[in-house]
Amino acid sequence: MKRRLCGTKGQSAVEFAFMITIFFAFLFALFDMAQICYNWSALQYSVNEGSRFGSIGNQNTAAISAQVQATAAGLRIPAPVVQILDFNDVPIANQGSNPLVFFKLRADNVVNLNPVSAMMLTLMGNRGSTYNVRAETVIRNEP
């Protein structure tokens, strides 16, 4: 018979505790990355819908912004901050009788991370618990 060493009784429990902590940290990080990717994808879809709405002759910037926000609400993401800009990144107002042919539609949103991921990011040196997500597209007005 072999003799057991005295100090190895709880070794597997300690190893399991270390490994399960790392596993759950990666699992929470994976969920947060999925949330960020979904938010960006939904925001890009909302901006594309707004650009479609604006490209068929709707020159009212408030209506285009409302279309983007309504689409975002339908996809269950927070209401984005919508800007309609020219190519110098200057906000434009309603164009009326002399519309621009091309202009940009930009939407910004903030994704809040869960507390566990925020705590891990703080330990690693990144002091943020939110991510800023931006989607942008170009509108070309059709005659």
Side-chain angles (χ1 to χ4, degrees):
M1 281 184 124
K2 288 186 180 180
R3 223 175 65 177
R4 288 191 130 194
L5 296 175
C6 294
T8 60
K9 279 193 167 194
Q11 179 182 356
S12 61
V14 171
E15 288 176 1
F16 177 76
F18 283 133
M19 294 309 294
I20 200 72
T21 304
I22 293 170
F23 171 75
F24 278 119
F26 281 123
L27 187 65
F28 282 123
L30 180 68
F31 287 150
D32 277 339
M33 287 305 297
Q35 180 184 6
I36 291 168
C37 288
Y38 172 76
N39 200 311
W40 176 79
S41 177
L43 189 62
Q44 186 65 50
Y45 179 78
S46 300
V47 167
N48 288 343
E49 286 297 312
S51 68
R52 283 189 194 101
F53 182 75
S55 69
I56 57 173
N58 297 314
Q59 297 301 312
N60 188 349
T61 58
I64 295 170
S65 296
Q67 178 70 27
V68 172
Q69 292 178 348
T71 306
L75 295 171
R76 298 178 190 256
I77 61 172
V81 176
V82 180
Q83 297 175 325
I84 300 174
L85 311 163
D86 64 7
F87 278 99
N88 296 321
D89 287 339
V90 176
I92 60 173
N94 292 336
Q95 295 300 307
S97 62
N98 189 15
L100 292 173
V101 176
F102 290 98
F103 53 95
K104 290 194 278 188
L105 180 59
R106 179 185 294 164
D108 294 308
N109 210 341
V110 176
V111 179
N112 294 315
L113 302 179
N114 67 47
V116 174
S117 292
M119 180 183 66
M120 288 186 324
L121 287 173
T122 302
L123 292 174
M124 289 188 289
N126 183 357
R127 302 280 186 230
S129 62
T130 61
Y131 275 92
N132 295 324
V133 180
R134 172 175 283 177
E136 186 172 291
T137 191
V138 175
I139 299 174
R140 178 178 188 271
N141 285 319
E142 298 291 333

